Structure formats: C-alpha cells, structure tokens
Amino acid sequence: MKTKSLVALLLTSATLISSPARAANSAPLAVPIAQTVPDAKDVPYPGTIKLDIDASDTVRGVYRVTETIPVAAGTRTLTLLYPQWLPGNHGPRGPLAELVDLSFTAGGQKLEWKRDPVEVYAFHVTLPEGASEVVAKFIHTSPLQSSEGRITMTPDMLNLQWEKMSLYPAGHYVRQITIQPFVTLPAGFTAATALDGLAQQGNRWAWAPTNYEVLIDSPIFAGRYFRKWDLGQKVTLNVIADKAEQLEAKPEQIDLHRNLVTEARLAFGANHFDHYEFLLALSDKIGSIGLEHHRSSENQLEPGAFTEWDKYEFDRNLLPHEYGHSWSGKYRRPARLWTPDYRQPMQGDLLWTYEGQDQFWGTVLAARSGLQGKPVVLGMLAAWAGNFAEQAGRRWRSVEDTGSDPVFAARKPKPFASLARSEDYYTEGALVWLEADQIIRAGTGGRKSIDDFAKLFFGMNDGDWGQLPFEVDEIVTKLNQVHPYDWKRFFETRIGTPGQPVPLGGIEKGGYKLVWKDEPNPYDKGRYADAKVNSLTYSLGVTIDKDAKVTATQWDSPAFNAGVVSGSKIVAVNGVTYDADALKKAVTAAKSGGPLELLFQRGDRFQTVRIDYKGGLRYPWLERAAPGKAPTGLDLLLAPKRPVKAKK
Ligand SMILES: [Zn+2]
C-alpha cells in the first residue's frame, strides 16, 4: 500500500513538473455508424417458416422455441429481427431481455451469430455454403413475478404472444413473410385465437400457414377452465378463468355483450373482420392486459367479473374499448403508426384519434349496450374532466405531445404526474371527440351526429380486414361533409396547442356541467374501492394507498405547498393513528375550523405538517345543467340505437 502511494506521488510530481502547456483538450471525432440491417421491402420472403413452441412448462413459465427458417440458395448471411416496435404498445416494448439461450444450426452444424452492435434487436447469422434452412432455438422466459414484467403463464392459463417468442427475416414487409405456427400446450388446456385452420392432435395444436403480420396480431389465450359464447355477427366471447366457477356468467350478462356487437355495427356501418374473438382472462394471477387486434383482443378482468357483477361495473369499459379498436386503430390506422415491420419506429402524433376516438366510442358503446349504466358512464366523463380541471401540466404540454409518451415513459409511475402529464391522448382525446359530436348536434339542429361521421370514416369496405391508413385531413374533410365547421382549427387548438381551457365543451354543449361533491361518483367509488386507495387528489392533493403511503401529490395543491411528496407515509392525523376515514373526517371538520395536523414519515425522518385547507372533500361529478326530463345532447349520444323494448 505504502509503496503504491509513493509511486503515485512521484508520478504526480513528475507530471506537474514536466507537463507542457497545451492549446486544447483531446477531442475525438465520431465513428460513423454502419447500417447493416436492410430496410423492409414489399417483396415476398421465399418459403414458409415453421414456428414450433413448447408452452407446456407451466411450473417455470418458459416457452421453448424451435424456429425453422428456409433460406434462398447462395445465402451466406441471414439477418433475423426480434420484434421491437409492437403494435398497440405504441413504443419499442419488445421484451428482448427475455430472449435467452439462443443458438442456430444448419444441417446439424452449429452456426456463428453476432448481435448487431447498433440495432441490438438484430442477429446476424453466418451460413455455410449450400445451406437451405436455418434452425433457431431459444427460450422466452416469461416473468415469474410482476417486478420482472407481465406474467403470461400460471398453472391454469397462459397468454402466448408470438412477438415475444419469434424472430423474422429482415428486409421484408412482415405481411410478405409466410409462417406456420405449432404449439404444445399443457394437458387439459383449451386454446382460443383468431388464427384460422386449426389442426389439433392431443396437446399439440397447429394452424394453417399465415403471414407474420397476421400471426403477431393473433395471440392465444389458453386455459384449463374455458367457456365460450356466440355473440352474433361471427363474434365469439372466449373466457378462461382461475377457477371453473368464475365462468358462471348469467344469460343476461352475455346479452349485454351481444348488445355491444350490435351497437358497434349500428354505429360504424361495417365490420372489419371475417370473425372476431374476444380473449378474456378472469384472473388475479396472470398479468393485466387490454390489447387490441384486428380480429381479436386480449383482455384481463378480475376473477369476479361475472360472479360479482355489480362490483365491477366500473371496469366494464375494457371490452368495448378493445372491440372499438378493430375499427379505430387497426383498420383505420394513423399513417405513421402503420409500419411495414416491427423495426421501423412508430410515430404517435395521431394517437389522440387512434386511442382518443376509440376511448370515446368505447364509452359510448358501453353506455348504449348497457354494459355500463349511465351513472357510471357519466362518472367516467366526470373523472376525466375533473382531472384536467386541476392539472398543472396542461400549461406546457399539448395533447398531441402526449402521443410520444409511450416511447419514452413506458407507463412507469412518474413523480408529479400532474405536471408531467402522461398518456392524456386517451381521455382528453375522448373529451374533444365528445365536443365534436355536440358541435354537430347543435349545428344541425339534432339531425346529424358523430354517428354520421363514423359511417363515413369507418364504414367503407365491409369485411375488409386490411389496413386503411389516414392523415388528419381525412378527418377534417369527413367532418365537414357531416357539418361544415372550422374543424382544422378545432383540432389544431384543442389537440395541438398547450395551455388550452379545461376540455368541458362537449359536456356543457351536451347539457351537463362539472360539479364537485363530498363523495366520489359511482365510477370513482368502484375503482377506488377496487384499488383500495384513498383519493384526496382534489382536496388535500394526495392519493394514499392501502399501506398509508402517498402515491401521488398534485402539483400546486395544499399538500404540495406543505411539502408532502410521494413515497412518504402518513402516520397520524391530529395525533391519532392514520386511517382513511379519520383523515376524510378531519378534512371535512377543517372546513369549520378544525385542525389538520398530519404526521408523515419520509425515509428515517418524521415530519409534522399543518395543512391550511378549508375546502372540504372534493370529488368530480357530472350533473344536468338545467332541470327537466327532456334528453340533452349527451343523453342522446349515450342512448341505444338498436330497438329497445320500453320499460314497463
Ligand atoms: Zn386502446
């Protein structure tokens, strides 16, 4: 040790003595990046890839993959890609870290491979002379606990998503790559998917060759406990559950799902599928999901979704939302969200309509079908409007800009989300579409509505399940066909410009108003109870979880001003151990001068905070603006279009 120090000292002294004066520090030049992965071309990949997945290991939750890829004569380098930009994820979410134990062979001979140093989702495989096919073997390790990612396999069910466990050759539009899938499932499992041409032998399931785009768009739900119901119009509700008894849906519950299929057809005027499979998992073990596809959707609801029907009404927007995507997002795809492969970045500048218009229609269809009652639907609209009424981040960030959120934020919780904003293109987009509907109704004296636009925008080419990309100009043109208005400016202002007024136009033109009450509306009540949160977002400005931890502090709120931040734990309210009701009572009592002294623990520090707040409890509601029974514009929007028997 001593010797080392002495040497170091001598070196330092020597440097000090001999160092000459320099004009500038060393300044390297950039090493050029060589592009080695070919861009996709609209030409067929020769031959049919065989994708064989052993999904039977439910103990370890692993998927063992053997993929046989034919190659054209003379090929010496094969570049294979792992899907990175995933449709419906709107971001580069391909779980590459879960692709492990990768090897390649040709004619039984092990092949060299290198990951591309720049595009790490690409693998370059060196082929021997005369190779006619390459066999890739690897394992997709599904997360076993939620901290590792979304769990896709339990002892009783699995959700197989092809994009997580397949490679595809670079240089081709994915629709030009032919592939045949084979899956070995656990014994006793039944599979549901939109794939066609099923051939099943025991636990081994195979489907007809298809193209890679359709494969990626056609995931599998499989489970030990399975039931399905025909909803009409070639739409099937396929349900798997943790337990057999959770599948006991009542006929009238299924009828509401049939209403959804009927109402969607009436609204859009065409279907863009040859058949459609709702894939629904009733589970608190598999990871949650709501993911749209052209001819199917992946959905997770709580185990009691059918058996505790009333409790979960707040959550029944999921299926209408995902079903609506068959039209909004899948068939009508924003130009820059359509990509020829899963390597080209997807651009979210039109997510306010892909998701926002779909959020709007999902809500309208939930109301029209009866899957959600009107008080809950009005509560949802109130929850969205209330959020924007007090959201600081609106001052700097437009709705359009939130379309880039999925690319960089990956849905992780944010410190001060109310200032950061997140994926607000969903709900603010929906409120802007609501305003568009009410402008049409008012401007045409009630003769026309957003339904007329929907038929122009979604209702062409019945049965076509390709993709029809669009730019915002088409929306403007078709809205003008329904009702002439400055729609271009409408969207440029509401969507494209930060610092907009609270988006209440649709609610107010629709005959309602946003009000604040001292208890949650039926929608918020349901979701707060389910999540076990104490939301004081619009009063003190904090959300508190079941363990008394602050999970969010509203920017500029009384709690914020008093220095309360997320991660702190609330220990006591006015000197007494915290519980949710005690805090609410104290907030109410503070209106008439009661104390509001809170003890927080943040790390190893304790902090007593006196909050100066006399506004009482505040939760958002929608109420009719004027008394009366005549239906308002919003009432008319939410009313069923199908003939409904009058109530006795
Ligand atoms: Zn969506």
Side-chain angles (χ1 to χ4, degrees):
M1 288 295 269
K2 274 181 188 166
T3 324
K4 254 189 188 166
S5 308
L6 186 63
V7 172
L9 185 67
L10 286 171
L11 279 173
T12 314
S13 317
T15 313
L16 281 174
I17 294 159
S18 65
S19 179
R22 277 182 291 100
N25 289 329
S26 307
L29 294 175
V31 177
I33 286 179
Q35 199 192 324
T36 53
V37 181
D39 288 334
K41 292 203 178 77
D42 194 11
V43 293
Y45 185 80
T48 299
I49 295 172
K50 191 179 151 193
L51 178 63
D52 197 335
I53 298 174
D54 181 349
S56 63
D57 190 350
T58 58
V59 174
R60 292 161 199 86
V62 298
Y63 300 82
R64 294 181 172 86
V65 183
T66 305
E67 187 172 350
T68 307
I69 304 137
V71 290
T75 306
R76 298 305 299 270
T77 302
L78 176 66
T79 300
L80 294 168
L81 300 172
Y82 185 72
Q84 179 179 13
W85 289 83
L86 303 183
N89 290 246
H90 317 310
R93 289 284 91 75
L96 184 57
E98 294 159 16
L99 167 72
V100 301
D101 202 19
L102 176 65
S103 68
F104 299 96
T105 55
Q109 183 190 336
K110 199 157 179 125
L111 305 181
E112 300 254 317
W113 63 271
K114 282 242 185 280
R115 190 191 300 267
D116 192 276
V118 177
E119 296 194 37
V120 296
Y121 281 71
F123 300 90
H124 303 294
V125 188
T126 307
L127 274 52
E129 208 170 325
S132 60
E133 61 180 32
V134 171
V135 178
K137 278 182 178 276
F138 55 91
I139 291 173
H140 165 63
T141 54
S142 167
L144 297 166
Q145 40 192 347
S146 51
S147 59
E148 297 166 346
R150 180 175 168 260
I151 295 165
T152 67
M153 202 188 262
T154 78
D156 298 312
M157 65 173 65
L158 62 87
N159 172 198
L160 189 155
Q161 297 173 303
W162 307 99
E163 69 273 21
K164 292 181 175 169
M165 50 194 94
S166 61
L167 299 169
Y168 67 101
H172 300 264
Y173 280 28
V174 285
R175 68 178 177 218
Q176 294 279 16
I177 299 167
T178 307
I179 187 162
Q180 184 170 19
F182 301 81
V183 177
T184 303
L185 289 175
F189 272 38
T190 302
T193 172
L195 289 172
D196 298 306
L198 171 67
Q200 187 199 347
Q201 278 196 316
N203 303 330
R204 193 161 160 79
W205 298 59
W207 289 268
T210 184
N211 70 56
Y212 192 64
E213 181 174 57
V214 170
L215 181 78
I216 296 304
D217 198 44
S218 308
I220 292 175
F221 271 33
R224 198 174 303 287
Y225 310 111
F226 172 84
R227 251 184 107 174
K228 65 177 177 179
W229 289 269
D230 178 8
L231 301 182
Q233 297 187 47
K234 297 184 179 165
V235 179
T236 306
L237 177 61
N238 303 275
V239 189
I240 53 177
D242 290 337
K243 293 176 184 163
E245 57 266 31
Q246 291 155 355
L247 296 169
E248 295 301 320
K250 295 201 171 84
E252 56 269 29
Q253 295 168 346
I254 300 302
D255 281 344
L256 296 174
H257 294 81
R258 289 199 180 97
N259 294 347
L260 168 63
V261 172
T262 304
E263 290 290 351
R265 173 81 197 193
L266 288 170
F268 301 134
N271 288 347
H272 295 296
F273 46 77
D274 53 354
H275 63 100
Y276 186 97
E277 310 297 322
F278 279 107
L279 308 176
L280 172 59
L282 306 180
S283 176
D284 54 13
K285 297 181 174 63
I286 207 155
S288 73
I289 192 167
L291 186 58
E292 65 274 22
H293 302 286
H294 219 122
R295 302 188 297 160
S296 64
S297 54
E298 296 168 271
N299 307 276
Q300 174 268 337
L301 291 173
E302 291 305 308
F306 287 132
T307 52
E308 297 170 88
W309 184 252
D310 293 341
K311 181 177 168 189
Y312 291 113
E313 185 182 359
F314 79 93
D315 209 17
R316 279 205 288 278
N317 204 251
L318 180 66
L319 268 58
H321 178 100
E322 302 307 342
Y323 188 52
H325 270 316
S326 182
W327 292 264
S328 178
K330 285 299 173 181
Y331 184 61
R332 297 316 315 270
R333 188 97 43 104
R336 284 161 299 283
L337 276 174
W338 185 90
T339 58
D341 62 8
Y342 311 118
R343 169 177 172 255
Q344 179 172 317
M346 294 168 178
Q347 300 171 49
D349 55 302
L350 291 175
L351 276 173
W352 59 268
T353 176
Y354 177 122
E355 289 291 358
Q357 192 180 181
D358 187 64
Q359 184 82 9
F360 167 80
W361 279 113
T363 305
V364 169
L365 295 174
R368 289 182 183 174
S369 65
L371 272 169
Q372 289 183 304
K374 199 159 157 195
V376 165
V377 171
L378 292 177
M380 274 176 63
L381 295 173
W384 306 343
N387 172 40
F388 296 125
E390 312 219 335
Q391 187 197 55
R394 300 174 57 73
R395 67 188 180 216
W396 73 274
R397 196 168 184 201
S398 69
V399 182
E400 181 184 270
D401 187 66
T402 67
S404 55
D405 227 64
V407 178
F408 60 79
R411 291 198 172 169
K412 273 199 317 198
K414 294 178 176 180
F416 301 115
S418 62
L419 184 63
R421 305 199 75 173
S422 48
E423 298 176 7
D424 289 342
Y425 52 82
Y426 281 92
T427 54
E428 188 159 354
L431 290 172
V432 170
W433 280 102
L434 171 62
E435 186 177 2
D437 172 61
Q438 297 299 324
I439 288 171
I440 296 170
R441 284 175 198 271
T444 61
R447 284 179 301 107
K448 300 237 170 121
S449 74
I450 198 76
D451 285 66
D452 297 282
F453 166 78
K455 282 168 196 69
L456 291 175
F457 190 70
F458 297 115
M460 67 287 280
N461 309 334
D462 193 15
D464 176 10
W465 54 282
Q467 303 99 35
L468 203 54
F470 66 90
E471 295 281 5
V472 71
D473 290 352
E474 186 187 334
I475 291 178
V476 168
T477 302
K478 290 189 167 168
L479 280 168
N480 271 318
Q481 280 174 252
V482 177
H483 170 58
Y485 187 78
D486 194 350
W487 294 109
K488 189 168 186 299
R489 195 177 132 78
F490 175 78
F491 289 118
E492 278 173 1
T493 313
R494 301 284 193 281
I495 300 293
T497 313
Q500 288 301 300
V502 183
L504 297 175
I507 290 166
E508 291 174 353
K509 291 182 182 82
Y512 280 75
K513 61 182 176 184
L514 175 68
V515 297
W516 299 89
K517 298 189 183 181
D518 60 6
E519 60 173 341
N521 68 56
Y523 167 72
D524 282 337
K525 198 173 169 187
R527 68 187 180 115
Y528 292 159
D530 185 58
K532 299 186 175 69
V533 300
N534 184 11
S535 174
L536 302 173
T537 310
Y538 307 113
S539 48
L540 291 186
V542 283
T543 313
I544 301 164
D545 74 8
K546 64 179 185 348
D547 301 318
K549 198 172 83 181
V550 174
T551 55
T553 302
Q554 190 86 334
W555 193 266
D556 281 342
S557 65
F560 175 91
N561 292 331
V564 177
V565 296
S566 57
S568 340
K569 192 174 170 177
I570 176 163
V571 181
V573 179
N574 294 331
V576 181
T577 305
Y578 165 82
D579 75 63
D581 282 338
L583 178 56
K584 285 190 221 165
K585 278 186 185 135
V587 170
T588 302
K591 277 165 81 174
S592 43
L596 204 48
E597 189 177 284
L598 309 177
L599 176 63
F600 285 94
Q601 181 180 7
R602 183 180 179 190
D604 58 1
R605 305 287 170 102
F606 287 82
Q607 177 191 15
T608 298
V609 172
R610 273 175 205 87
I611 298 186
D612 181 25
Y613 173 71
K614 299 195 181 329
L617 295 169
R618 289 174 80 240
Y619 301 94
W621 287 69
L622 287 200
E623 263 184 3
R624 274 182 75 112
K629 285 252 188 298
T632 68
L634 181 53
D635 295 332
L636 292 169
L637 171 68
L638 301 179
K641 294 285 173 193
R642 69 191 187 285
V644 176
K645 277 179 252 164
K647 279 184 193 150
K648 283 171 196 163

